[in-house]
Amino acid sequence: MTPGARVAAQIDILEAILSGVPAEKALTNWARGNRFAGSKDRAAVRDLVFQALRCRRSAGAWPEPQSARAWAIGALRTNGSDPSEFFTGIGHAPAALQAEDVMPLPTDRDRLDLQDWVIDRLTEEYGAAQTAEIGAVLRHRAPITLRVNLQKTTRAQLQAELAKAEIETSLNPASDTALTIVSNPRRAVLQPCYQQGWFELQDAASQAVADAIVLNGRILDYCAGGGGKSLALAARSGLKIFAHDISAARMSEIAPRASRGSHAIEVISPQDLAPETKFDTVVCDLPCSGSGAWRRSPESKWSLTPKDLEGYVTLQRDIIAQAVTHLAPSGYLALITCSIFAAENQEQRQFVSDKFPDLTFSSTTQYLPSATQDGLYLVTFKKDF
């Protein structure tokens, strides 16, 4: 596909998104209907679509675009490309630019590529300069980072092995297990060393969070999901991890991933976690707004409402209250979100201190989105008796 044809495909997919089709489904539908497109073409079209989603406001497409065509034109402009190079009308490229395709330049506020209420909230919590930095980071693609399984290899050994397949990596300072992929990221999971359990894909801040959690005796990953934190904790400690989630289906990949990495992880289905069962470390990766990782799911950046945020806060408090019942005396509770909102982080820390007098604050860290990592929050407490 020519660059212009890829932009034409982007417009078709943006049309579907505007009609209410989720981005992933729209991309899948397009790929199925255009089987001539090779893997590089599909990857390039996907990047165009997701970049348009990340920069929707500065592209002139928020709250409503004039059209999918206008959105694509605005996305190219706001990312420093000349739309006339793609809109040529030649072959499968979109029709050449017309006078009506000229749109107003984005304002400074538009360039933050965030909703107004999010800008106001973050400015109150971080200040205008820090909010501008966060907005700028979230406009671009997230880094792809590997977590090296130090029980099987070293960072240097994995770097050398991946280099044989022309996959260049760099050391990520967030964790001594983190490698950020610099080139050919899509090849990584196709390598034999992946099947041999040398590494998993995991954001660097998530790895740093796992590094910081106190592991003590019996360990419960209470909101395990796909098992990323369970695997990281098992790899770092060599200990057995108990993985639990309210949805058994979400945990379906934990067993094969644990087997690949040679980790001891026991999956506990919701009905099998007895109320009286206690653990020395309870980890809660809480459901949240995902605001620290909006680069990876940019649709959420535009769909989240203040009411949604309130709903997450309520849900988190319900989960915390349940998780605390499984904490043994002198045990540690670790609460994690991939959020940058104080309502889900610092205010929840205060909620725990007020609500549970037998829990003593231990430590906290806020990781903000950057070129090397997502935004995450960690706070830990120790049970006194």
Side-chain angles (χ1 to χ4, degrees):
M1 296 176 68
T2 65
R6 289 173 174 175
V7 171
Q10 175 198 24
I11 293 171
D12 289 342
I13 295 165
L14 292 177
E15 287 273 19
I17 291 171
L18 290 176
S19 72
V21 180
E24 290 290 355
K25 184 173 179 57
L27 284 160
T28 299
N29 291 345
W30 176 83
R32 288 174 177 169
N34 296 272
R35 296 188 184 276
F36 64 85
S39 60
K40 289 184 178 179
D41 291 320
R42 293 195 301 272
V45 170
R46 179 186 180 86
D47 287 345
L48 284 169
V49 169
F50 269 76
Q51 192 59 18
L53 286 167
R54 293 187 193 100
C55 299
R56 183 167 182 171
R57 182 166 179 171
S58 61
W62 179 260
E64 293 295 335
Q66 296 176 17
S67 65
R69 174 185 167 91
W71 188 354
I73 293 169
L76 288 168
R77 284 177 174 154
T78 196
N79 285 288
S81 297
D82 182 357
S84 66
E85 296 179 3
F86 303 87
F87 286 73
T88 63
I90 300 173
H92 296 286
L97 296 179
Q98 305 296 320
E100 59 267 24
D101 290 321
V102 176
M103 294 176 291
L105 293 175
T107 65
D108 289 343
R109 193 170 177 87
D110 291 335
R111 290 189 181 93
L112 293 177
D113 274 308
L114 297 167
Q115 296 185 65
D116 281 326
W117 74 269
V118 173
I119 294 172
D120 294 341
R121 184 180 287 260
L122 294 182
T123 300
E124 182 178 342
E125 295 172 3
Y126 295 101
Q130 186 73 72
T131 297
E133 290 181 20
I134 292 170
V137 167
L138 295 177
R139 295 182 75 251
H140 299 287
R141 185 177 179 178
I144 299 176
T145 306
L146 310 178
R147 178 182 56 74
V148 183
N149 182 0
L150 297 182
Q151 293 182 358
K152 291 198 169 189
T153 187
T154 65
R155 282 206 292 189
Q157 186 178 7
L158 179 57
Q159 281 189 292
E161 186 67 20
L162 293 175
K164 296 176 184 176
E166 299 182 339
I167 303 169
E168 183 184 356
T169 58
S170 63
L171 301 181
N172 189 302
S175 171
D176 62 5
T177 59
L179 287 175
T180 297
I181 301 182
V182 177
S183 64
N184 297 314
R186 292 180 174 88
R187 295 183 187 177
V189 296
L190 303 177
Q191 304 309 307
C193 58
Y194 174 69
Q195 297 301 328
Q196 294 162 5
W198 283 25
F199 70 89
E200 287 279 347
L201 296 174
Q202 189 174 39
D203 176 71
S206 292
Q207 296 182 50
V209 163
D211 294 342
I213 295 173
V214 175
L215 299 181
N216 178 33
R218 283 164 51 86
I219 303 160
L220 174 65
D221 185 356
Y222 188 70
C223 305
K229 295 293 190 306
S230 294
L231 292 162
L233 295 173
R236 181 165 68 83
S237 68
L239 299 172
K240 180 177 181 178
I241 308 296
F242 294 87
H244 164 275
D245 196 276
I246 194 171
S247 168
R250 282 200 290 263
M251 298 189 290
S252 62
E253 291 299 312
I254 293 180
R257 293 176 76 187
S259 176
R260 187 167 61 233
S262 301
H263 305 310
I265 299 179
E266 181 177 330
V267 175
I268 306 176
S269 58
Q271 65 271 19
D272 293 334
L273 183 61
E276 66 275 9
T277 307
K278 305 295 183 184
F279 298 86
D280 301 292
T281 298
V282 177
V283 179
C284 289
D285 194 349
L286 296 162
C288 68
S289 65
S291 49
W294 272 339
R295 289 176 292 187
R296 302 182 191 276
S297 54
E299 286 174 295
S300 301
K301 183 164 72 166
W302 306 109
S303 63
L304 187 76
T305 67
K307 186 175 181 181
D308 292 334
L309 183 59
E310 292 174 7
Y312 280 119
V313 169
T314 300
L315 175 60
Q316 290 162 9
R317 293 181 177 183
D318 290 343
I319 293 172
I320 292 168
Q322 297 166 21
V324 167
T325 65
H326 296 289
L327 192 59
S330 300
Y332 285 89
L333 173 69
L335 304 178
I336 305 163
T337 72
C338 53
S339 172
I340 53 176
F341 291 126
E344 297 180 284
N345 298 334
Q346 291 83 2
E347 291 176 23
Q348 297 294 51
R349 166 188 164 183
Q350 190 61 49
F351 162 77
V352 172
S353 295
D354 294 341
K355 182 73 173 180
F356 304 99
D358 57 339
L359 296 180
T360 299
F361 166 74
S362 179
S363 65
T364 187
T365 307
Q366 173 76 70
Y367 303 85
L368 293 178
S370 72
T372 59
Q373 66 189 37
D374 286 341
L376 275 84
Y377 179 78
L378 168 69
V379 61
T380 60
F381 298 86
K382 185 175 183 181
K383 187 175 175 67
D384 296 327
F385 49 85

